Amino acid sequence: DGIKKACKEVIDRLTSYFELNSMTCVSQMRNRGNFDFDDRDRKSLDRSEEIFCITATEAHFQGDVISDSQQSDPNDNNNLPLEGHFLIDAFVECTGERANGNMRVQVNLEMYCHTKRGQNALDKIRGRMPGEVGRTNRRWRRMSKKADHQ
């Protein structure tokens, strides 16, 4: 029960972080992978290995319609796939309890970019993620300090 609660908390924090950064999220259970399967391997894949995944894409790419307010240069978005400049798959695994009583949750990221702009966005998102999800960065420390004084 504690493991599931910790896992849900991390999933909620990841989703909030992605949405704060103008991304659209889709949550699902699925297998991890950068796999090259042939038909024989697909049939033997164990469904019990499915884990929770949050897929995040740029919010202004809704299908094949690009929001005019988000489009700075019309030529910048030509020939992009439906997800836009990048795609993030965040796999959340609940690995158990640590010695000090805290729960351990592992987040594995699989990131794909289609442009230099996408790579820059992914670098920025990945760099800020530990502080935001772990709530250890300056913004969260200030909020915690402010809440303690009230």
Side-chain angles (χ1 to χ4, degrees), residues 93-111:
E93 296 181 79
C94 303
T95 56
E97 191 170 347
R98 296 171 103 181
N100 61 1
N102 292 329
M103 296 296 160
R104 180 178 166 90
V105 178
Q106 182 173 329
V107 177
N108 294 302
L109 300 175
E110 291 183 7
M111 302 176 157

Side-chain angles (χ1 to χ4, degrees), residues 1-138:
D1 187 45
I3 293 174
K4 288 182 182 178
K5 185 177 178 183
C7 203
K8 179 166 177 10
E9 178 68 23
V10 170
I11 290 166
D12 291 345
R13 289 180 185 189
L14 277 170
T15 302
S16 296
Y17 176 65
F18 289 146
E19 290 172 350
L20 183 69
N21 284 283
S22 301
M23 290 184 253
T24 301
C25 298
V26 175
S27 302
Q28 61 187 342
M29 295 298 290
R30 58 178 263 224
N31 288 304
R32 277 193 67 199
N34 280 331
F35 305 114
D36 287 327
F37 288 121
D38 62 23
D39 289 334
R40 182 178 30 129
D41 291 334
R42 280 195 186 124
K43 291 175 187 167
S44 66
L45 189 62
D46 183 6
R47 298 303 254 172
S48 66
E49 292 181 25
E50 287 187 341
I51 57 176
F52 195 85
C53 177
I54 302 168
T55 300
T57 59
E58 294 174 278
H60 63 275
F61 284 87
Q62 298 297 325
D64 58 354
V65 179
I66 301 166
S67 166
D68 289 335
S69 65
Q70 296 289 333
Q71 188 172 354
S72 57
D73 179 5
N75 295 324
D76 188 40
N77 298 318
N78 287 344
N79 301 318
L80 284 175
L82 296 181
E83 66 267 11
H85 293 274
F86 64 86
L87 172 93
I88 300 172
D89 283 334
F91 291 91
V92 181
E93 296 181 79
C94 303
T95 56
E97 191 170 347
R98 296 171 103 181
N100 61 1
N102 292 329
M103 296 296 160
R104 180 178 166 90
V105 178
Q106 182 173 329
V107 177
N108 294 302
L109 300 175
E110 291 183 7
M111 302 176 157
Y112 312 92
C113 64
H114 303 290
T115 63
K116 182 69 173 167
R117 177 178 164 185
Q119 182 63 52
N120 291 340
L122 288 178
D123 289 344
K124 185 176 178 181
I125 291 163
R126 181 180 37 224
R128 292 181 180 170
M129 190 177 291
E132 285 291 326
V133 175
R135 297 191 173 173
T136 57
N137 64 8
R138 184 182 318 173

